[in-house]
Amino acid sequence: MTSVPGRRSSTFTRLLRHGFTHPAAAERLLDLPEMAPVRTDSVLLDALGATADPDLALRGLVRLVEAQQQDERQVLLDTLISAKPLRDRLLGVLGASEALGDHLARHPQDWQALVTYESSDLHPGVEDFERELAEATDPVSLRVAYRRCLLSIAARDVCGTTDVAQTAAELADLATATLRAALAIARTAAPEDAAACRLAVIAMGKCGGHELNYVSDVDVIFVGEPASEAVDESAAVKAATRLASHLMRICSETTVEGAIWPVDANLRPEGRNGPLVRTLSSHLAYYQRWAKTWEFQALLKARPVAGDPELGAEYVDAVSPLVWQAAERENFVPDVQKMRRRVVDNIPVAHIDRELKLGPGGLRDVEFAVQLLQLVHGRTDPTLRSGSTLEALGALAAGGYVGRVDAAQLDEAYRFLRSMEHRIQLHRLRRTHLVPEGEEDLRRLGRSLGLRADPVAELDKEWRRHGSVVRRLHEKLFYRPLLDAVAQLAPGETRLSTQAARQRLEALGYADPAAALRHLEALSYGVSRKAAIQRTLLPVLLGWFADSADPDAGLLGFRQVSDALGKTPWYLRLLRDEGAAAENLARVLSAGRLAPDLLLRAPEAVALLGDPEGLKPRGRDHLEQEVLAAVGRADGAEAAVASARAVRRRELFRTAAADLIGSYGTEENPAEHDPGTLVDRVGNAVTDLNAATIAGALRAVVRERWGDELPTRFAVIGMGRFGGHELSYGSDADVLFVHEPREGDDEQEAAQAAATVVAEMRRLLQLPSSDPPLLIDADLRPEGRNGPLVRTLASYAAYYRRWSLVWESQALLRAEPMAGDEELGARFIELADPLRYPADGLGEEEVREIRRLKARMETERLPRGADPTLHTKLGRGGLSDVEWTVQLLQMRHGWSEPGLRTTRTRTALAAARDAGLLSPEDAEVLDDAWVLATRVRNGVMLVRGRAGDTFPSDAKELAAVGRYLGHGQGHVGEMVDEYRRATRRARAVVDRLFYGS
């Protein structure tokens, strides 16, 4: 046909108006002679324009028309033009599914299957599909018949005759009919096996729940029994296994028509390692002795679908009581937590933003939450025992376990997400849960869901909106009804009973649900504005507490802080309006004892958690300025040091909170949450804080006794971890005190003044109070505990010149001025440098002496009964091993390698690596072990509130340390194994580099 330019332009515009994105190609197809009726019929063009993808629909229609015999072609076109229901169904399918268009091109007469069930009141069931599949005698014909049935389901789906739940149910019914047909084919092929056994096919998963996808594995469990007493049980099971295997091959094998779907039997006892078929008694024995909680969760959807109906019913009746007792199992809570983690762990990083099923706010979130609530409350309420997610959600709402509005919103979100999943899979009939990325695919998907104005933008908006509802599902389904259990409700409202609320709290990991309910009631009861805000906050906070190792402690701490700040107007407003503040508070309160103890002594520090800059450590200059200002305002030395210690307490809380949130929180910037970075941040922050506090105490004592100037110059030299900027939360401050009489001052008076300053500083910093003490340890001074606490610089020089031992020179590697007279501190370092970095390094005798000292320390100082593989300080591959190895390198090579002249272990280790003194691999091993051991010590202090060099023996405390180190619930063993592995590797390096083994 030859078209005039004006007409072509008109057709082109018309096609654009009807939604064609490739009008030129569409026009060429319409110009084909066999498409003349379509070209001239506006009704058909309008119908094409109403499809999800008019271009795809037209291509499919052309292929179907071309595949017809000449006399059949006109029948098809006439029917299309005259029968609107059929027209809408056929074109709707062709515009949504390229795969079904391919099927129709191969089997052009199958379009007539769409004539059936035109009434919206008629929905096929299993028996209808069985009749459709009855003539199939082999996998190929079964595949063709299956696709024909699928065609009719898809047609009703895309035209809106059925909703998503009905479509999923029809797909499950079709799968049931297909399993029965496949089993019939298998029985026909092996009549001896069929006669020897009874075989029941139990549907699991989405098929069992009557909510199947277009393309999904069909999960099953096989149960076999002898057909009669005359048949040996073992022989019957073998016969049943052959039938089951044949059934699976029929459905799963790829033929010229492709495969139907894989039959997956991995939910059976022992998974893929267990026998394919078991007797009923064997199933029960396994479930009663060995099954995990997730297996009972899977059985919640078990439904007999094929084979022997009586055996199938016996199986379900036998396992059902076990399902509804699962929540009473001792390991129910940790198993549930593992299942929740598995959802997240299974998401490939590249797919997380496109995952409809496993992604945040995805389908699995809804299904898992509904199933967990069923397991918790279905024990005593049989109305909740449905295998269908939406039916179960409705029953939970009807029973008052979920708020009606919440359930309605979640129902809507789940239906939308399932509809997206269906339409994505329908396009090419491929098993996928990923939202497509291409503009054309997104446009077709959006239009298939009725979004026509701007399909791509509208689809993204609706998807995000529904996903955000689902992301709040733990608040919606788990926590808000707990408040209803303790709150007054409007007449007609339903709420959880006290028993149901306790059951739910137990399932969430609360060890004392009765106390938790009392806290909830105290926080949320009443009609005040404060109670209303708490009712908004608590559902979210309860979820965060439940994610911790000690939910009870988190909730108790929150009540205590809320009680302390209840009349403060900014407190609840901060938590309500600053989302980060509420989550940060929840993480801090439930992570251990140290940070909550610090916070409860001054609850106003909560304000730090809502400030984006609030968790950043403050530098020493800033801290010292604030401390000295507070000291200057105080009346008397005791009040002045108390002010300095209050600043220290607040800053310790800031540091601990930042450390916990960085360790537990979402890692948007992985570099910021690198373990080494976190360790360095804590070490620097606590060191700067202690230095500023000591400076404040020094100023307070001097001002109290002498006014503006002490009669001797005085400096505090940091030693050990203090000098190395490697303090942990529970570390003492190792120091040396040095003074130098001022010109013209009496030396004896100067010495007495220096001694008085030292004694008074130590006393004031350790006075009993609500603030943590700062312990000053001067045992690294010359002559140790037997020597004077403070010496003049000249006395230090004389001692080191005449009496210094190699270990004292080694101790000076960490010396750094921390407070007092800066010039005097600098001259002390000038004195120390030749001792700690001796010219030409150490002699062999000195090296042997250091090695002897280290070996003796390992033998004598490790506490009796301590496991040397788990002691972070003195154990094999621990802190002492790494530090002594690095310090030996510093003393041997510091005179020639400037990079080694540092008080910091990790900096010196990197410098040794860069200087070629040890390999990059050895440096990494030592650094990893040192960082891990330091983090364990920090974690123990944060969790227990007191220092410790070994892992806690209490299971809950050990789990909390594991969470701090990045190990989820149930992975404590992995944490300990990781520590042993890292330190074992480090010890091997130490043996080689330090001991020369």
Side-chain angles (χ1 to χ4, degrees), residues 361 408-409 412-413 416-417 451 458-472:
Q409 291 178 345
E412 180 188 9
F416 183 84
L417 295 175
L451 308 173
E458 289 180 66
L459 174 66
D460 185 72
K461 179 181 178 181
E462 287 297 294
W463 177 27
R464 303 301 173 190
R465 179 174 72 85
H466 289 297
S468 69
V469 171
V470 175
R471 279 194 296 274
R472 296 195 304 271

Side-chain angles (χ1 to χ4, degrees), residues 219-276:
D219 296 306
V220 300
I221 285 176
F222 295 108
V223 187
E225 294 285 351
S228 66
E229 294 181 0
V231 181
D232 176 72
E233 183 179 287
S234 174
V237 169
K238 290 179 180 178
T241 300
R242 289 190 290 270
L243 289 176
S245 300
H246 193 182
L247 178 152
M248 294 176 70
R249 288 197 302 275
I250 290 170
C251 296
S252 306
E253 283 182 346
T254 301
T255 68
V256 292
E257 292 289 335
I260 300 177
W261 20 248
V263 176
D264 188 341
N266 288 337
L267 291 178
R268 66 187 185 267
E270 299 181 74
R272 64 185 61 190
N273 297 319
L276 184 63

Side-chain angles (χ1 to χ4, degrees), residues 146 150 153 157 164-165 167-175 205-208 210-219 260-261 357 363-364 367 414 417-426 429-433:
Y146 173 83
L150 198 63
I153 294 175
D157 178 18
V164 65
T167 298
E170 290 186 12
L171 289 167
D173 285 342
L174 175 57
K206 282 185 163 31
C207 184
H210 236 78
E211 49 188 15
L212 197 60
N213 296 329
Y214 275 102
V215 186
S216 178
D217 293 355
V218 172
D219 296 306
I260 300 177
W261 20 248
K357 181 178 181 180
L363 293 162
R364 182 65 63 81
E367 294 160 355
Y414 186 71
L417 295 175
R418 284 300 304 272
S419 296
M420 281 185 69
E421 180 184 45
H422 278 188
R423 301 302 165 78
I424 290 168
Q425 293 184 347
L426 181 59
L429 289 181
R430 291 180 183 167
R431 185 175 182 268
T432 179
H433 310 285

Side-chain angles (χ1 to χ4, degrees), residues 86-138:
L86 179 66
R87 177 171 66 244
D88 292 343
R89 288 169 186 265
L90 178 57
L91 296 183
V93 168
L94 292 174
S97 177
E98 184 176 332
L100 289 177
D102 292 342
H103 174 82
L104 284 171
R106 289 195 304 271
H107 305 280
Q109 296 306 306
D110 278 4
W111 68 269
Q112 296 183 39
L114 300 182
V115 176
T116 314
Y117 307 113
E118 290 191 359
S119 167
S120 61
D121 296 327
L122 289 175
H123 298 292
V126 176
E127 294 77 11
D128 300 295
F129 289 127
E130 282 191 283
R131 284 194 294 273
E132 294 281 340
L133 304 178
E135 296 182 3
T137 57
D138 58 75

Side-chain angles (χ1 to χ4, degrees), residues 369 416 421 650-651 693 751 867:
F416 183 84
E421 180 184 45
R650 184 198 66 211
E651 294 304 316
T693 306
D867 184 343

Side-chain angles (χ1 to χ4, degrees), residues 70-87:
Q70 185 65 38
D71 57 337
E72 297 170 340
R73 185 176 299 164
Q74 194 60 44
V75 174
L76 169 62
L77 293 172
D78 289 345
T79 307
L80 277 174
I81 293 170
S82 61
K84 183 180 187 310
L86 179 66
R87 177 171 66 244

Side-chain angles (χ1 to χ4, degrees), residues 29-100:
L29 291 175
L30 288 169
D31 278 344
L32 294 172
E34 54 268 34
M35 296 303 293
V38 178
R39 186 169 60 247
T40 59
D41 190 277
S42 61
V43 172
L44 272 176
L45 281 181
D46 289 343
L48 285 166
T51 64
D53 186 341
D55 300 89
L56 179 63
L58 178 57
R59 289 197 300 272
L61 179 60
V62 169
R63 294 174 65 199
L64 176 59
V65 170
E66 289 177 336
Q68 303 293 320
Q69 297 294 330
Q70 185 65 38
D71 57 337
E72 297 170 340
R73 185 176 299 164
Q74 194 60 44
V75 174
L76 169 62
L77 293 172
D78 289 345
T79 307
L80 277 174
I81 293 170
S82 61
K84 183 180 187 310
L86 179 66
R87 177 171 66 244
D88 292 343
R89 288 169 186 265
L90 178 57
L91 296 183
V93 168
L94 292 174
S97 177
E98 184 176 332
L100 289 177

